[in-house]
Amino acid sequence: MSYYQLLQRLCFLLLLLLSYFVSAAQVRVYGTVYDRTAKFGMAGVTVMSTSGKGTVTDSAGHYSIMVPTTDSICFSYQGKATMKFPVKEIRTSRSFDMSLHVDVHMLPTVEVTAMRRGYTVDSIENRNEYRKVFDFERDYLTSSSGGAGVGLNLDLLFSLRKAKRIEAFRRLLIQDEKDKYIDHRFNKELVKKITGLESPALEAFMVEYRPTYEMLLSFENDYDFYQFIKDCAYYFSRSWNRKHPLRK
């Protein structure tokens, strides 16, 4: 084999390896799915990739999914799907938001029964009720009376304390939404079904291993989430049985 042929084969091998690593690269696509007005986040929207990976938007419309750069994603709601968006054309360094052609007032409020009793999946009612709080923005600069230049809005400066209270209340509302989402996913009926734990061990487990909102979003699918509960229950049960031995 000549030197030139050997060099050709090495170049070909390098190209194959490069194409393999490019196709195997994973990126995180994240963002918010809004209604047609682009003001309200939509819960329960399915985000699917052509490779089979998927996730669902939370109560505020947020989603996050890990997909190969060679993949494509689409958004689906009530059986209607959008076009497919190639991942390589998405700027993953910033939020990839989507607005669906759905009126917020036409969205149904889904009441979950049985295992998820008492939780309202759709947070749109809550967002509508406190719309002024969620849409509130501080704006201390305003056009001067002459129409030229920028002046200082003294009224807004004097209401600084009020603005801080509104922002604090907004953070409280968002945290309340997150807590309800955790209660919705990490509910006692589901945990009991997966772990087989009974009271009072069940209640202790629910407190000790309650996941955070961010942790719930990190699971790529329900299987990973259920496996997390199962693994935690294994270690919890060993500790619980040592501290509470069965009496004969």
Side-chain angles (χ1 to χ4, degrees):
M1 182 183 297
S2 66
Y3 174 78
Y4 179 72
Q5 289 177 323
L6 179 62
L7 186 60
Q8 276 188 323
R9 292 193 177 186
L10 286 175
C11 290
F12 179 71
L13 180 61
L14 286 174
L15 287 174
L16 286 178
L17 289 173
L18 181 61
S19 63
Y20 169 78
F21 286 120
V22 169
S23 63
Q26 296 268 327
V27 294
R28 184 173 79 95
V29 179
Y30 67 96
T32 305
V33 179
Y34 296 97
D35 74 321
R36 65 189 301 173
T37 67
K39 291 183 179 179
F40 302 98
M42 292 177 56
V45 177
T46 301
V47 185
M48 287 293 299
S49 72
T50 51
S51 63
K53 292 188 177 182
T55 187
V56 178
T57 58
D58 64 14
S59 60
H62 303 317
Y63 75 92
S64 177
I65 184 172
M66 292 292 297
V67 288
T69 53
T70 54
D71 218 336
S72 297
I73 62 172
C74 67
F75 302 84
S76 175
Y77 186 75
Q78 293 185 346
K80 297 180 179 179
T82 66
M83 61 178 287
K84 295 180 180 180
F85 301 91
V87 174
K88 62 182 179 182
E89 297 179 7
I90 298 175
R91 295 182 62 180
T92 55
S93 59
R94 66 183 185 183
S95 176
F96 184 65
D97 299 335
M98 180 60 50
S99 182
L100 301 184
H101 193 70
V102 178
D103 192 339
V104 67
H105 300 295
M106 299 301 292
L107 294 176
T109 299
V110 182
E111 295 291 344
V112 182
T113 57
M115 289 182 63
R116 298 174 181 176
R117 181 176 57 255
Y119 175 79
T120 303
V121 174
D122 219 341
S123 65
I124 293 175
E125 246 181 62
N126 187 55
R127 292 274 173 156
N128 279 333
E129 184 176 356
Y130 297 105
R131 182 180 299 178
K132 290 183 178 179
V133 177
F134 282 106
D135 292 345
F136 174 78
E137 292 183 2
R138 283 202 246 171
D139 187 7
Y140 298 126
L141 297 178
T142 182
S143 299
S144 61
S145 57
V150 176
L152 192 61
N153 190 329
L154 295 178
D155 291 336
L156 284 175
L157 283 179
F158 287 133
S159 63
L160 179 59
R161 291 184 178 177
K162 179 181 179 182
K164 288 184 176 180
R165 287 199 300 270
I166 293 178
E167 288 180 346
F169 184 42
R170 177 166 53 188
R171 289 194 296 270
L172 183 65
L173 290 173
I174 293 175
Q175 184 58 50
D176 182 61
E177 281 189 347
K178 291 181 178 180
D179 290 338
K180 288 181 178 178
Y181 180 70
I182 297 173
D183 293 338
H184 162 59
R185 295 286 306 277
F186 191 69
N187 60 82
K188 189 180 292 185
E189 290 83 359
L190 174 67
V191 173
K192 181 178 179 180
K193 184 177 181 180
I194 294 175
T195 65
L197 293 172
E198 298 287 348
S199 298
L202 177 61
E203 286 75 11
F205 177 83
M206 296 291 293
V207 173
E208 185 173 346
Y209 287 95
R210 178 180 173 85
T212 63
Y213 176 78
E214 291 72 21
M215 183 185 296
L216 284 177
L217 294 185
S218 70
F219 296 113
E220 291 192 17
N221 48 55
D222 284 342
Y223 175 82
D224 291 342
F225 175 50
Y226 297 160
Q227 189 63 46
F228 160 77
I229 296 176
K230 188 175 181 179
D231 292 342
C232 290
Y234 171 76
Y235 294 105
F236 172 82
S237 297
R238 293 177 62 182
S239 175
W240 178 269
N241 291 334
R242 285 197 303 267
K243 296 177 181 178
H244 305 81
L246 294 176
R247 296 181 179 178
K248 296 182 178 180

